[in-house]
Amino acid sequence: MSKLAEFRQLEKHLAEQLQALEALKGDAGLKKEIEFETKLRDLLAKYGYSLKDVINLLDPQTGRRVPAVESKAGSRKPRQLKVYKNPETGEVVETKGGNHKTLKEWKTKHGAATVESWLSK
C-alpha cells in the first residue's frame, strides 16, 4: 500500500472516529455519568477517601483475595481399612473399598446386612 493510500485511509478512519465522538458528546446518558463521576470524586476529595476506601466500606469481601484452591486429589482423607471375617469359613478379607471380589460374592450369597455384621475393625 502506498503512503498516500495509507494516509487517506487513516484520515477517513479518524473522521469516522471524530464523528462518533461528537455523537457521544451529545448523549444525555454520558453527560449524566460524567456529572456523577465529577461529583463523586469531589465528595471523596472533600472527606479524604479513595475509591478503594469506599469499596471496602460497601463490600469488605471484595478487597480480600480468595486463597488458591488446593487440588482435590491430594486433599481427600484416605479410606479406612475394613476387615471382614466370615464366621463359617474363617476367611478374612481386608479392603479399603466395597469393590472387592470376595466381599461381593459374600454379599450376594449371604446378604449385605449379614456381611456388614462380620466387620471386625
Side-chain angles (χ1 to χ4, degrees):
M1 183 185 298
S2 72
K3 293 282 183 183
L4 181 60
E6 185 179 347
F7 174 77
R8 289 204 173 126
Q9 183 182 12
L10 289 173
E11 194 175 42
K12 179 182 175 188
H13 189 67
L14 180 61
E16 290 171 354
Q17 287 184 337
L18 286 172
Q19 186 179 10
L21 180 64
E22 289 300 319
L24 271 178
K25 283 183 181 179
D27 186 28
L30 177 65
K31 287 181 183 178
K32 194 172 180 180
E33 284 186 36
I34 291 172
E35 180 185 1
F36 174 76
E37 182 188 16
T38 305
K39 287 182 179 179
L40 179 63
R41 291 196 183 272
D42 291 343
L43 190 63
L44 290 173
K46 178 180 175 182
Y47 289 100
Y49 281 94
S50 69
L51 289 174
K52 286 184 179 181
D53 295 330
V54 173
I55 290 170
N56 285 334
L57 241 171
L58 297 176
D59 189 9
Q61 299 298 328
T62 302
R64 297 186 185 141
R65 291 192 174 216
V66 178
V69 178
E70 293 180 18
S71 66
K72 297 280 182 181
S75 64
R76 186 173 173 175
K77 186 176 100 175
R79 292 187 179 186
Q80 184 181 3
L81 181 69
K82 293 181 178 181
V83 180
Y84 296 89
K85 184 175 181 183
N86 188 332
E88 296 172 2
T89 61
E91 188 178 359
V92 176
V93 171
E94 295 179 353
T95 181
K96 288 189 174 186
N99 198 15
H100 193 277
K101 183 180 177 182
T102 308
L103 193 60
K104 281 185 176 182
E105 290 173 3
W106 288 354
K107 286 183 179 181
T108 56
K109 184 177 178 182
H110 301 287
T114 307
V115 173
E116 285 301 318
S117 71
W118 298 347
L119 188 61
S120 300
K121 289 186 181 178

